[in-house]
Structure formats: structure tokens, C-alpha cells
Amino acid sequence: SLPSYRGGNVNCEEFTAEGRRNNPNLMVKAYDQSAQTLNILRAFSTGGFADISRLQAWNLEFVEASDEESRYRKLAEKVDESLRFMKAIGIDTSKPEFTTVDFFTAHECLLLPYEQALTREDSITGKYYDCSSHMLWVGERTRDLDGAHLKFCRGIGN
């Protein structure tokens, strides 16, 4: 019998001894990919892409030729109409409230060694924060009331 598949950050689905062996490089790769994704999101959210006046220019391939595309286009037209009205009554729509967006990340607190490695103590408050995400959640696999996952989540200030 082989070890269980524990997810792409731990081992491989391939049902072989090599595939099911824990591979720490997978966790490092996941961290790198996550950091790259966050960097792209930051660039988009502060680089003008999030500007509400560019709503019509956003990539719509994911809804192309569907009922959702029609609803999206109608919504975008209403937003454009509202922005024109705001400008007409003197509201400056070039302010950050209209051109940038805050975003937050969340994931299940599943791999404790990963979460622990990314936990830091705030030097001012003394509280601990898991820097892998803004919000960690506990799911079906981690909700044991006496388990280490809940104990870990109780100890962080996220």
C-alpha cells in the first residue's frame, strides 16, 4: 500500500512510491507561485487596471458568448452611465476610490508546517500573524476541536 495523496503542495497524485513521497520542493514551488500571483494582483490593482471607468476594457473571455456576457455588458453600461452622471455633478472619478481596489486572500489552514513557517510576531503588539494569507479558515479536514489546526488558528491574530 502507498501513502495517501495529500495535495499538490505535498506529493503527487501518481500512484507510485515516488509520486506519493512527500516532496518539500512542491511546497516551495507553491509559495513561489502564490507570491507571483499576489505581485500580479498588486500591479493590476494599483496600476490603473482596477479603474472602474475601464470596466468595458476588462477581459471578458470568461463570459464570452454566454448569458453572463449579456448581463455583464448591461451592468457595465449602467456603471458607465452612473460615472458620467457623477462627473456631470462635479464628482472627481479619478480619485483612488474609483481607480484602485483593495484585495484580500484566504485559504484553508491545512498544512501546519507551511503556516507555521510563515507566522511572525508583531513587534509592537506581540500578537502572532500568519503571513501566508489575510484570512485563514478551518474546513472539514481541519475542524477537530482538539486538533492542532484549531489550536494554531486560536493563536494568530489574522
Side-chain angles (χ1 to χ4, degrees):
S1 178
L2 294 172
S4 296
Y5 172 62
R6 297 197 55 223
N9 292 348
V10 176
N11 59 9
C12 297
E13 286 184 81
E14 175 188 326
F15 195 67
T16 64
E18 180 63 27
R20 295 299 173 90
R21 187 172 295 120
N22 287 353
N23 182 348
N25 292 326
L26 293 173
M27 202 173 286
V28 173
K29 180 180 176 185
Y31 173 83
D32 289 341
Q33 289 173 330
S34 296
Q36 290 171 14
T37 300
L38 288 173
N39 286 337
I40 289 170
L41 287 172
R42 279 188 203 100
F44 282 160
S45 68
T46 59
F49 190 78
D51 190 330
I52 193 74
S53 66
R54 293 185 41 140
L55 193 62
Q56 297 282 9
W58 292 350
N59 183 341
L60 298 177
E61 289 177 10
F62 64 98
V63 293
E64 220 168 66
S66 68
D67 293 338
E68 287 80 13
E69 178 185 25
S70 175
R71 288 194 298 268
Y72 181 88
R73 295 236 182 257
K74 286 178 185 173
L75 174 66
E77 289 169 9
K78 288 183 179 185
V79 169
D80 283 343
E81 182 181 329
S82 298
L83 288 171
R84 284 192 303 273
F85 175 75
M86 287 184 213
K87 288 177 186 175
I89 62 170
I91 295 175
D92 181 5
T93 60
S94 66
K95 290 184 175 184
E97 292 85 358
F98 294 96
T99 60
T100 62
V101 64
D102 291 328
F103 67 91
F104 301 91
T105 62
H107 67 255
E108 183 177 9
C109 179
L110 184 58
L111 303 172
L112 282 180
Y114 181 82
E115 304 304 338
Q116 290 166 331
L118 292 170
T119 300
R120 304 289 183 267
E121 182 179 8
D122 182 308
S123 61
I124 296 171
T125 66
K127 291 183 179 180
Y128 287 89
Y129 292 90
D130 184 337
C131 300
S132 72
S133 183
H134 293 100
M135 299 166 276
L136 289 167
W137 51 274
V138 174
E140 283 299 312
R141 299 175 286 186
T142 54
R143 67 182 175 90
D144 178 9
L145 294 178
D146 297 318
H149 293 86
L150 279 179
K151 184 176 182 179
F152 174 81
C153 287
R154 280 188 215 114
I156 57 173
N158 296 45

